[in-house]
């Protein structure tokens, strides 16, 4: 029986690439989304027809515990449980320092940190019962050593997700491997929108490979970490940033 992978925020961008990569490797996939219904349904149809795997689409606001509980209940009825959790969904409410407010800060932490904690805690029972599980947290180099005051809440949330990774790896040992991936500048549509050309050029010059990353490259790393080849990799934060200066 195929293992079941739940990817949050999977309708677009990095999440979509991860769902596609895992489906290609014969994992059954749960596509979580909040607002991108059209994209989620189209992705389900593509993955089902192309890779002959079972795909479930679930709309859930993961900042709300009751919606997380409902999503997990749907997955358990359909598949029995979650074997692989990829905490990918995130919000980045970057704006000018003087325009920041406590509601935006709380929203960022709710989605980027608290949801990852709740989801991991709730799916871990099934993994522990099966004595096998994988949790991958999608953090960011913004949470390591690359900071921007305009995204202070996002940066703080990604640093917190790294701390969460270490603590969960200890808590869920020895049956669940918990790791985090810290992408640098990945050239998704959402990442490139809203920045002027001068800023994008200056950021690209900080990357030793002199280009932005591709969502598929992050997805390849996720696949490796959930595969049997990565059985001995646990409690680790892996940067994937093309050698981004200042993020080590």
């Amino acid at each position: 029986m195929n293992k079941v992978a739940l990817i949050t925020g999977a309708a677009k961008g990095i999440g979509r690439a991860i769902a596609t990569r895992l489906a290609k490797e014969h994992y059954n996939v749960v596509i979580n989304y909040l607002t991108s219904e059209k994209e989620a349904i189209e992705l389900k149809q593509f993955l089902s027809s192309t890779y002959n795997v079972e795909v479930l689409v679930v709309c859930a606001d993961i900042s709300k515990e009751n919606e997380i509980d409902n999503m997990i209940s749907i997955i358990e009825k359909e598949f029995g449980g979650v074997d692989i959790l990829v905490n990918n969904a995130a919000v980045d409410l970057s704006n000018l320092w003087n325009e920041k407010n406590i509601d935006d800060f709380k929203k960022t932490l709710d989605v980027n940190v608290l949801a990852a904690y709740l989801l991991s805690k709730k799916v871990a029972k099934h993994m522990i019962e099966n004595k096998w599980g994988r949790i991958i947290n999608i953090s960011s180099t913004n949470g390591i050593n690359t900071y921007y005051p305009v995204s202070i809440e996002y940066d703080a949330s990604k640093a917190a997700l790294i701390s969460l990774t270490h603590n969960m790896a200890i808590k869920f040992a020895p049956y669940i491997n918990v790791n985090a991936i810290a992408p640098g500048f990945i050239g998704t549509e959402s990442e490139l929108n809203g920045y002027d050309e001068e800023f994008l050029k200056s950021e690209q010059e900080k990357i030793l490979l002199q280009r932005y990353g591709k969502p598929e490259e992050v997805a390849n790393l996720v696949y490796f970490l959930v595969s049997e080849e990565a059985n001995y990799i646990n409690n680790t934060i892996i940067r994937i940033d093309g050698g981004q200066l200042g993020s080590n």
Side-chain angles (χ1 to χ4, degrees):
M1 181 178 294
N2 294 351
K3 289 185 170 63
V4 177
L6 165 60
I7 303 104
T8 62
K12 298 191 294 186
I14 292 174
R16 181 186 181 90
I18 294 169
T20 302
R21 186 70 169 94
L22 295 184
K24 182 180 180 180
E25 301 298 335
H26 309 297
Y27 293 88
N28 292 333
V29 172
V30 181
I31 299 168
N32 160 254
Y33 76 96
L34 179 57
T35 59
S36 303
E37 180 179 19
K38 178 176 178 290
E39 292 86 349
I41 292 174
E42 288 176 351
L43 179 59
K44 175 185 178 179
Q45 293 170 343
F46 170 74
L47 298 181
S48 299
S49 61
T50 305
Y51 300 115
N52 193 30
V53 295
E54 295 184 58
V55 182
L56 180 65
V57 173
V58 184
C59 177
D61 181 349
I62 60 171
S63 69
K64 299 177 180 178
E65 186 172 12
N66 66 310
E67 296 201 24
I68 287 177
D69 288 338
N70 181 62
M71 176 170 64
I72 292 175
S73 177
I74 292 171
I75 297 169
E76 288 176 343
K77 289 178 182 177
E78 183 73 18
F79 292 130
V82 174
D83 303 299
I84 297 162
L85 170 63
V86 183
N87 288 309
N88 168 73
V91 296
D92 180 2
L93 304 176
S94 298
N95 55 20
L96 297 176
W97 181 270
N98 292 337
E99 296 177 359
K100 293 186 178 299
N101 59 71
I102 192 170
D103 290 334
D104 285 350
F105 214 120
K106 287 182 176 179
K107 177 68 174 178
T108 301
L109 294 177
D110 282 347
V111 175
N112 297 6
V113 184
L114 184 58
Y117 159 73
L118 289 173
L119 281 159
S120 300
K121 182 178 180 181
K122 292 172 186 291
V123 303
K125 181 179 179 182
H126 172 79
M127 297 178 182
I128 292 171
E129 286 176 351
N130 288 339
K131 297 184 178 180
W132 193 96
R134 297 286 188 270
I135 297 174
I136 308 292
N137 294 321
I138 306 300
S139 182
S140 170
T141 55
N142 284 51
I144 298 175
N145 196 24
T146 303
Y147 308 114
Y148 303 93
V150 295
S151 59
I152 187 172
E153 58 272 79
Y154 178 82
D155 297 359
S157 73
K158 292 302 185 177
L161 193 55
I162 288 172
S163 176
L164 194 71
T165 299
H166 293 309
N167 278 298
M168 291 195 306
I170 295 169
K171 176 62 181 177
F172 297 146
Y175 300 122
I176 304 174
N177 288 21
V178 186
N179 293 291
I181 294 172
F185 220 122
I186 306 300
T188 62
E189 182 178 337
S190 61
E191 184 118 337
L192 297 178
N193 281 346
Y195 296 113
D196 58 48
E197 290 186 12
E198 184 178 345
F199 174 79
L200 292 175
K201 183 175 183 294
S202 67
E203 289 301 300
Q204 185 168 309
E205 288 174 349
K206 297 176 184 177
I207 302 170
L208 297 182
L209 295 185
Q210 292 291 289
R211 67 172 177 85
Y212 300 126
K214 301 173 183 178
E216 293 77 13
E217 292 174 314
V218 179
N220 290 339
L221 179 54
V222 170
Y223 166 62
F224 172 68
L225 287 175
V226 304
S227 72
E228 297 302 315
E229 285 75 11
N231 278 339
Y232 206 57
I233 300 176
N234 192 21
N235 195 23
T236 297
I237 315 302
I238 302 177
R239 293 185 300 121
I240 178 167
D241 60 9
Q244 179 179 319
L245 298 178
S247 66
N248 52 4

